[in-house]
Amino acid sequence: MDEERRIVTGELRAVMEEGKAKKICGHAAKFDSLSEDLGGFRERIAPGAFAKTIQSGDIRCLWNHDANIVIGRNKSGTLRMSEDSAGLYYECDAPDTQLVNDMVMSPISRGDVNQCSFGFRTISDKWAKVDGEWLRTLLEVELFDVSPVTY
């Protein structure tokens, strides 16, 4: 299956404390909440869907899913992810570059960018017809990236 992407609104913040590394924090995914219509079905993410991939995957934090703008990576220790009661939480140490400061940190700090997204491939899912509409539940995914996104 091809790579898919999903967006979460209002779960993104920039943390900039004097004398400390700049960080981007947020939930890239929320558990047990229904998506909008995704073209004939709605979707929810089951708790545990990210458990394996965040332990073994090589995952990046990208700006707008752009592989040319890497903000962090779990294999280098600059991106940390965990599942909490709400969903997939991440924290990324942003590089101190002009590009990231101007294009990423500033718009997040101002509230101009307030959404996160994640790129993934489905490993396991379950389909059911609920109240006349199709519901897909993601049970396990392979995560490629978490991204602050404009849209």
Side-chain angles (χ1 to χ4, degrees):
M1 177 157 265
D2 294 328
E3 181 176 348
E4 300 178 62
R5 295 184 178 139
R6 299 295 182 268
I7 298 171
V8 175
T9 301
E11 288 294 322
L12 181 64
R13 68 185 184 282
V15 179
M16 296 183 280
E17 298 176 15
E18 191 69 35
K20 293 187 178 183
K22 297 175 184 175
K23 292 183 184 181
I24 299 168
C25 308
H27 280 93
K30 293 284 197 100
F31 295 139
D32 293 323
S33 63
L34 286 178
S35 70
E36 59 188 43
D37 188 315
L38 296 172
F41 70 97
R42 293 178 69 175
E43 187 173 76
R44 67 178 278 278
I45 303 167
F50 302 100
K52 285 183 186 176
T53 194
I54 62 177
Q55 296 301 315
S56 61
D58 188 7
I59 304 157
R60 278 86 167 165
C61 180
L62 306 175
W63 175 248
N64 280 318
H65 296 289
D66 186 339
N68 295 302
I69 307 173
V70 179
I71 303 168
R73 184 175 180 180
N74 69 325
K75 294 292 184 185
S76 71
T78 57
L79 171 63
R80 294 161 302 283
M81 296 162 291
S82 61
E83 287 191 348
D84 62 18
S85 61
L88 175 63
Y89 178 80
Y90 75 97
E91 185 173 283
C92 183
D93 301 328
D96 189 20
T97 65
Q98 196 65 49
L99 175 86
V100 170
N101 289 332
D102 292 350
M103 204 161 131
V104 178
M105 299 304 287
S106 182
I108 294 171
S109 295
R110 290 169 30 115
D112 297 334
V113 173
N114 69 344
Q115 296 175 309
C116 294
S117 179
F118 65 100
F120 69 101
R121 185 175 65 84
T122 303
I123 302 295
S124 174
D125 61 3
K126 177 176 72 173
W127 290 85
K129 196 119 188 192
V130 178
D131 297 328
E133 70 179 351
W134 283 103
L135 174 64
R136 177 188 190 197
T137 302
L138 296 174
L139 302 172
E140 182 182 350
V141 302
E142 176 186 8
L143 193 59
F144 301 116
D145 71 271
V146 293
S147 294
V149 293
T150 305
Y151 297 103

